[in-house]
């Protein structure tokens, strides 16, 4: 069970790095949808949601591990 903490820490670090890259816009490809269309707004919303989940999933796993009484390294 000690590997869970290390992999979770790695995932959180990767999520923060990915979020930083997204905020700086140097990895974001241009949109294929026309500006102002529903597809354009949905594309942006899903993109942001994926970044939120990329950070939330490891954090929730860490919280569950601590709530179960296991030590996360």
């Amino acid at each position: 069970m000690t590997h869970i903490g290390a992999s979770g820490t790695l995932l959180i670090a990767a999520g923060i790095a990915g979020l930083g890259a997204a905020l700086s816009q140097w990895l974001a490809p241009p949109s294929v949808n026309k500006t102002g269309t529903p597809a354009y707004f949905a594309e942006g919303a899903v993109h942001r949601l994926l970044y939120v989940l990329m950070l939330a999933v490891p954090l929730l796993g860490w919280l569950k591990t601590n709530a179960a009484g296991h030590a996360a390294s």
Side-chain angles (χ1 to χ4, degrees), residues 8-56:
T9 304
L10 253 165
L11 286 173
I12 291 171
I16 291 171
L19 185 61
L23 291 174
S24 68
Q25 296 291 326
W26 51 275
L27 286 180
S31 177
V32 296
N33 298 308
K34 286 187 171 185
T35 305
T37 61
Y40 182 80
F41 292 115
E43 171 188 1
V46 169
H47 191 94
R48 288 180 192 91
L49 178 64
L50 287 173
Y51 277 106
V52 167
L53 291 174
M54 188 169 37
L55 294 173

